[in-house]
C-alpha cells in the first residue's frame, strides 16, 4: 500500500481545509483519554509518526469501529492541532489486526514490531503538532506494513518474521548488523563469534573478551533473517532459532537502550 496523503489546501491558507489532510496509517498503539476518547499513535508513509485524538472512539456507537485498533491499516482524514491532531474520518483498508489477533504468537510478534516502530520513529514528537519526522520514516512504514501483512497471512513462523523485522528495522535506522563479514575489520566470514556492541560477527583477531560463540547454524540464520533468505530461515533448527532470538534481543536492547515490554512477554512463552 503506497498511499501517502498530502495536506489539503484551502484559499487563504487558513481554516479547516488548510489544516486538514488525508493519509494511510498503521495503528501502533492507543491510550485512553478522558471518558470516551483515545490517543492513537500512527505510522504513516508521508508524515512519519503521528499522535492524534479519536473523539468518542470508546463509545459503543462510535463511527470509527475497529479501524483504530492496533495493527490495522486505515485511511484517515485528520485536522492538524497544536499538540495533537484530530481524527475526523477513518476507513479500514486492510484489517490486519483482526487476522493477527487469532494467533497468540502472531499477536505477540506484532506487538513487539509496533513497539519497535514507535521507538524508532518517535523523534521530534511534540515539536510540530504531534508529528515525528525522519528521513527513514517512509522505509520504516513499508517495512512494518510488509511484516504485519506477512504475519496476517502466516507466510512464516511469527518469531522468525519478528526477528527478521527487528534486524531490518534497525538497519533502516542506521544500525545494520553484519553476520557475513567481521563487523569491525570487514574480513569475509562466516566467523565463529558475535559481539552485539561491535555490530555482529567478529573475526578471531577483532574478537573482544566476552563475545558470544553461537553455533554456525545460528550465524547462518541471523544472516538469512537480515537478507530475507527464507528458504534458509524456515529450515533452521529450533536451537538456532532460540539462540538467534537472544542475539537479536540483545542487539535491539543495545541500540534502543531499553528492553521492549512486548518482547519480554514473548520471551516468557514456550
Amino acid at each position: 500500500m503506497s498511499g501517502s496523503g498530502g495536506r489539503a489546501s484551502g484559499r487563504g491558507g487558513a481554516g479547516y481545509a488548510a489544516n486538514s489532510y488525508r493519509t494511510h496509517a498503521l495503528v501502533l498503539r492507543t491510550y485512553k483519554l478522558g471518558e470516551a476518547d483515545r490517543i492513537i499513535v500512527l505510522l504513516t508513509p508521508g508524515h512519519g509518526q503521528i499522535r492524534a485524538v479519536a473523539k468518542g472512539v470508546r463509545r459503543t456507537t462510535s463511527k470509527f469501529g475497529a479501524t483504530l485498533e492496533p495493527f490495522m491499516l486505515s485511511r484517515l482524514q485528520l485536522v492538524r492541532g497544536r499538540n495533537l491532531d484530530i481524527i475526523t474520518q477513518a476507513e479500514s483498508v486492510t484489517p490486519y489486526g483482526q487476522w493477527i489477533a487469532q494467533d497468540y504468537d502472531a499477536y505477540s510478534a506484532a506487538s513487539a514490531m509496533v513497539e519497535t516502530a514507535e521507538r524508532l520513529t518517535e523523534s521530534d514528537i511534540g515539536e510540530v503538532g504531534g508529528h515525528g519526522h525522519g528521513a527513514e520514516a517512509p522505509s520504516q512504514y513499508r517495512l512494518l506494513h510488509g511484516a504485519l501483512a506477512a504475519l496476517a497471512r502466516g507466510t512464516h513462523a511469527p518469531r522468525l518474521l519478528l526477528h527478521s523485522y527487528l534486524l531490518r528495522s534497525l538497519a533502516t535506522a542506521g544500525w545494520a548488523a553484519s553476520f557475513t563479514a567481521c563487523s569491525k575489520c570487514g574480513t569475509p566470514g562466516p566467523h565463529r563469534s558475535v559481539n552485539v556492541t561491535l555490530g555482529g560477527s567478529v573475526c578471531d583477531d577483532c574478537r573482544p573478551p566476552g563475545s558470544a560463540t553461537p553455533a554456525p547454524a545460528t550465524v547462518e540464520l541471523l544472516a538469512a533473517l537480515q537478507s530475507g533468505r527464507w528458504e534458509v530461515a524456515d529450515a533452521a533448527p529450533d536451537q538456532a532459532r532460540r539462540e538467534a532470538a537472544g542475539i537479536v534481543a540483545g542487539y535491539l536492547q543495545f541500540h534502543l537502550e531499553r528492553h521492549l515490554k512486548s518482547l519480554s512477554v514473548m520471551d516468557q512463552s514456550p
Side-chain angles (χ1 to χ4, degrees):
M1 188 61 60
S2 59
S4 56
R7 292 192 207 180
S9 59
R11 294 183 179 179
Y16 177 91
N19 290 305
S20 178
Y21 64 99
R22 295 183 66 85
T23 183
H24 284 81
L26 291 164
V27 180
L28 303 182
R29 188 191 298 265
T30 67
Y31 301 92
K32 291 181 180 180
L33 181 65
E35 295 183 357
D37 305 338
R38 275 200 181 111
I39 295 174
I40 314 294
V41 184
L42 307 160
L43 184 59
T44 71
H47 302 275
Q49 187 186 134
I50 296 173
R51 292 178 184 256
V53 176
K55 294 185 178 295
V57 71
R58 289 161 56 199
R59 296 194 180 101
T60 55
T61 56
S62 171
K63 61 183 178 180
F64 296 123
T67 58
L68 297 176
E69 293 297 323
F71 322 138
M72 301 294 273
L73 175 62
S74 301
R75 184 182 297 110
L76 308 177
Q77 179 89 27
L78 302 96
V79 177
R80 291 187 181 276
R82 180 172 298 178
N83 297 313
L84 295 168
D85 292 356
I86 299 172
I87 300 172
T88 56
Q89 295 179 25
E91 174 187 356
S92 177
V93 175
T94 310
Y96 293 133
Q98 293 179 15
W99 302 333
I100 289 172
Q102 297 175 23
D103 181 87
Y104 177 80
D105 277 353
Y107 182 87
S108 299
S111 297
M113 287 176 181
V114 297
E115 188 178 353
T116 300
E118 182 179 1
R119 289 285 295 171
L120 291 176
T121 61
E122 67 184 357
S123 59
D124 300 333
I125 282 292
E127 291 189 11
V128 185
H131 291 240
H133 298 283
E136 74 281 357
S139 296
Q140 292 287 1
Y141 171 87
R142 290 191 296 269
L143 193 63
L144 180 62
H145 186 186
L148 292 176
L151 277 176
R153 293 194 301 264
T155 54
H156 304 284
R159 291 172 189 249
L160 290 180
L161 286 168
L162 169 62
H163 298 138
S164 177
Y165 167 78
L166 294 177
L167 288 172
R168 292 184 183 194
S169 63
L170 286 169
T172 299
W175 299 310
S178 174
F179 299 107
T180 57
C182 178
S183 56
K184 187 173 182 180
C185 71
T187 300
H191 299 292
R192 296 183 302 167
S193 301
V194 170
N195 189 283
V196 166
T197 60
L198 291 181
S201 293
V202 284
C203 66
D204 290 343
D205 291 336
C206 296
R207 181 188 188 276
S211 297
T213 307
T218 301
V219 178
E220 184 181 25
L221 173 57
L222 288 165
L225 291 172
Q226 178 143 292
S227 62
R229 293 167 55 218
W230 286 105
E231 70 282 0
V232 174
D234 289 336
D238 289 343
Q239 180 181 356
R241 296 186 186 201
R242 289 192 295 270
E243 203 168 25
I247 291 171
V248 173
Y251 193 65
L252 180 72
Q253 183 175 2
F254 175 73
H255 286 292
L256 294 189
E257 298 180 348
R258 61 177 287 185
H259 194 71
L260 299 185
K261 295 179 181 178
S262 49
L263 199 60
S264 299
V265 172
M266 196 167 192
D267 289 343
Q268 294 169 7
S269 63

